[in-house]
Amino acid sequence: MGTPRGKAPSTGGSPRPGRAVVVSVVVGVLLAGCQPSANNGVPTPSAAPEPETDSRLAAFYKQSVKWEPCDKLECAKLTVPVDYAKPEDGRTFTLPLIKAAATKPEQRIGVLIAGAGGPGQSGVSMLKDLATSWPAEVRERFDLVSFDPRGVGGSEPRLKCETQGEPPAEKRPDLPLVGEMVAQSKQYAEACLKHTDASVLSHVGTADVVGDLDVLRVVTGQEKLTYVGYSYGTRIGQLYADRFPKKIRAMVLDGVDNMSLDWRDDPIQQAESIEQALHAYARDCAARTGKPCPGRTEAEIIATVNRVIDKADKAGDGSTIRGDISGKLTFPQEWPELSEIVINADRPAEPQEEEQTEQTEEPATDDTTEALTVVNCLDRPHPSDLAAYEEAAQRIRDVSRLADGSELLSCAFLPPSTSKPKVIRAEGAPTILLVATTVDAATPYRWAQALAASMPSAALLTNEDIGHSVYGGTSPCVDAAVNRYLIDLTPPAAPARCGVKAGS
């Protein structure tokens, strides 16, 4: 999907680490979506219909997890097969687990697994935050557990796609929009295959992660799964519900990803939401931030953004400014920084004396940016014909001035996907609660509406605001509704609404 769909909710200051929303440049990759397909078959990672009873998988489902203290929480390791169709070949992933025990064990209901976003966000890192920031009512009643998905964070093996140097420049007059990125995209894909064996890399897609989630359900003692997934974590949840509908106790999907769009339409729809978020910022900047804005009206701010992008394009740095702006759009808490970026970029360039500047180190992270491209490429079919990417880039740019589209290119050089677009139905599942924000640059509101229409058991809670993945963040209304559902299994009455227009 276009923007990294992965960050946990924002608690007020800045978004929690994990889901960098770099919408312009990332728009294509993250969103690699898919049009409704005539073939509605479940993506096939390769697994028996009832893996829990498959004797070949018994060692994985019956493994004993040894929890040990780590800081103030508990940590463990989970072993899962690389290929669920061939578990006997001996190849495995080792996934790190983390647990925050229920704070009122005498009132404990069970285990709640939290699924992180991205693709590429570390669930272990995310839970370290949720263990103190999630609503107390839920922390009291559940052991909170999360994991780093295969290939991500502390997973062994882990995806690695480091490249060495810049590839030779390649002129592609037949590809005016994406031609400059062809050599770099090919180099990146080749590095992924060089550092991560193709037979392993081809099994880091979401369909295989769903198998891992079911193993985790069993080894943590859950007859039925209680799950909260954020952003990309909702992709995991949707496929789990479709494959194991009778093994769910409760499921919350917050910031609903899509499974039904093809590789073109997914980033196009996300680009439309990015544009919607840009106009929301331009309209509400002064009221929401109380800080200087790059214009007095919506029209003035949009004009300034256009001017800044045009200026950067002429200087050959358009992708950078698009990424900087897009990365601050999703969460209103970051709009003051967004205004500073635009205002500074709009100032006339002043000659500067060369001076020594101290390099600031990026904060350490367990997130794996490589998974963003690789997982999205594996989760839906992409063409190998580069002309198709040129056409897609044009369509993406047509709907948003912040979109690029060239990030899709690496998919042309990676192993083909074995998964297909799918309309999720999850027949036989209990009520699944969808939480969706009306202006969401990462996961458009329409995706939640589409899932609510296709999945008979869905209950949609609409958050009328601007943002992404809000549970445990800044909406007491959303928190109260989700808490009640997780604890009592009581979904909010339809039509369920929260937010600036609907109350708190």
Side-chain angles (χ1 to χ4, degrees):
M1 326 201 138
T3 303
R5 303 166 186 168
K7 176 177 288 180
S10 170
T11 52
S14 59
R16 294 180 186 166
R19 185 183 191 281
V21 181
V22 189
V23 171
S24 66
V25 199
V26 180
V27 132
V29 176
L30 286 219
L31 290 208
C34 314
Q35 240 173 2
S37 165
N39 181 346
N40 283 334
V42 161
T44 51
S46 58
E50 287 295 335
E52 193 176 349
T53 60
D54 187 335
S55 60
R56 300 174 307 154
L57 297 171
F60 300 102
Y61 275 95
K62 293 179 179 179
Q63 66 185 290
S64 178
V65 172
K66 183 181 179 184
W67 294 101
E68 297 180 344
C70 59
D71 295 326
K72 296 181 180 179
L73 304 176
E74 296 176 69
C75 294
K77 299 282 187 183
L78 181 73
T79 302
V80 293
V82 166
D83 186 348
Y84 277 90
K86 300 175 181 176
E88 65 278 1
D89 70 8
R91 295 178 304 147
T92 61
F93 279 99
T94 302
L95 310 180
L97 307 178
I98 191 166
K99 178 172 72 173
T103 59
K104 290 188 176 178
E106 71 281 3
Q107 298 180 22
R108 179 182 178 277
I109 293 172
V111 172
L112 187 161
I113 297 177
Q121 185 183 7
S122 163
V124 170
S125 294
M126 181 184 74
L127 193 78
K128 290 176 182 178
D129 182 12
L130 301 184
T132 57
S133 64
W134 254 13
E137 297 93 322
V138 167
R139 291 186 286 114
E140 290 168 355
R141 308 293 298 275
F142 291 94
D143 292 342
L144 306 183
V145 171
S146 193
F147 64 104
D148 285 354
R150 50 177 58 206
V152 170
S155 162
E156 288 294 340
R158 170 176 170 157
L159 274 172
K160 295 176 183 175
C161 301
E162 295 94 345
T163 57
Q164 297 293 324
E166 290 293 323
E170 185 177 341
K171 298 209 174 210
R172 294 296 302 262
D174 56 322
L175 304 171
L177 298 181
V178 302
E180 289 185 1
M181 295 297 295
V182 169
Q184 186 176 330
S185 299
K186 184 177 181 181
Q187 180 194 40
Y188 182 82
E190 289 174 346
C192 293
L193 292 168
K194 175 183 177 182
H195 298 300
T196 307
D197 187 87
S199 63
V200 172
L201 182 143
S202 61
H203 286 284
V204 298
T206 306
D208 281 298
V209 176
V210 167
D212 302 342
L213 179 58
D214 197 52
V215 172
L216 181 57
R217 171 188 65 84
V218 172
V219 302
T220 53
Q222 300 179 78
E223 182 181 348
K224 294 193 174 183
L225 176 71
T226 299
Y227 178 83
V228 174
Y230 288 116
S231 200
Y232 166 72
T234 73
R235 198 189 307 178
I236 300 170
Q238 288 176 59
L239 287 184
Y240 187 94
D242 211 58
R243 186 171 165 198
F244 301 112
K246 302 291 180 65
K247 295 182 180 178
I248 296 170
R249 172 190 172 271
M251 180 174 284
V252 178
L253 305 179
D254 186 0
V256 177
D257 207 338
N258 89 81
M259 298 300 304
S260 64
L261 297 174
D262 74 12
W263 70 277
R264 287 186 189 90
D265 286 346
D266 180 290
I268 288 170
Q269 288 193 11
Q270 193 193 25
E272 291 170 349
S273 285
I274 291 163
E275 194 70 10
Q276 181 190 21
L278 175 63
H279 280 273
Y281 159 72
R283 183 186 64 242
D284 298 339
C285 177
R288 295 287 291 249
T289 69
K291 302 286 185 182
C293 298
R296 293 168 297 176
T297 66
E298 178 178 351
E300 284 187 9
I301 292 176
I302 293 296
T304 305
V305 169
N306 287 338
R307 190 164 58 245
V308 161
I309 291 173
D310 289 344
K311 178 180 173 182
D313 281 342
K314 289 174 184 174
D317 201 25
S319 292
T320 299
I321 193 64
R322 284 181 174 86
D324 290 345
I325 294 171
S326 300
K328 300 296 181 182
L329 265 181
T330 302
F331 299 96
Q333 298 95 319
E334 295 200 317
W335 285 359
E337 295 174 60
L338 172 56
S339 293
E340 286 184 22
I341 289 169
V342 177
I343 290 169
N344 289 336
D346 193 42
R347 290 193 175 111
E350 296 179 3
Q352 293 183 345
E353 293 182 12
E354 195 171 328
E355 57 180 45
Q356 294 280 2
T357 56
E358 252 186 60
Q359 294 291 324
T360 57
E361 286 188 16
E362 289 291 322
T365 175
D366 289 326
D367 298 339
T368 304
T369 56
E370 291 88 343
L372 182 61
T373 298
V374 174
V375 173
N376 283 315
C377 291
L378 291 175
D379 274 5
R380 64 211 80 217
H382 288 73
S384 57
D385 178 12
L386 297 183
Y389 294 91
E390 177 75 12
E391 184 269 339
Q394 184 61 65
R395 290 179 60 190
I396 290 168
R397 294 183 186 201
D398 285 345
V399 299
S400 176
R401 72 206 78 208
L402 296 176
D404 184 281
S406 63
E407 302 75 18
L408 296 164
L409 274 173
S410 291
C411 297
F413 306 105
L414 286 168
S417 168
T418 57
S419 296
K420 295 181 180 179
K422 175 174 179 57
V423 175
I424 300 295
R425 304 199 184 281
E427 299 285 356
T431 299
I432 293 175
L433 182 58
L434 315 181
V435 182
T437 300
T438 48
V439 180
D440 184 337
T443 51
Y445 179 63
R446 66 197 287 188
W447 292 351
Q449 291 177 304
L451 183 59
S454 71
M455 193 164 64
S457 62
L460 176 59
L461 172 58
T462 296
N463 179 47
E464 295 184 334
D465 202 354
I466 303 158
H468 174 67
S469 294
V470 293
Y471 175 61
T474 57
S475 173
C477 173
V478 169
D479 287 358
V482 173
N483 292 347
R484 186 165 52 250
Y485 166 74
L486 288 172
I487 293 169
D488 301 330
L489 301 181
T490 303
R497 306 191 82 81
C498 290
V500 291
K501 296 180 183 175
S504 59

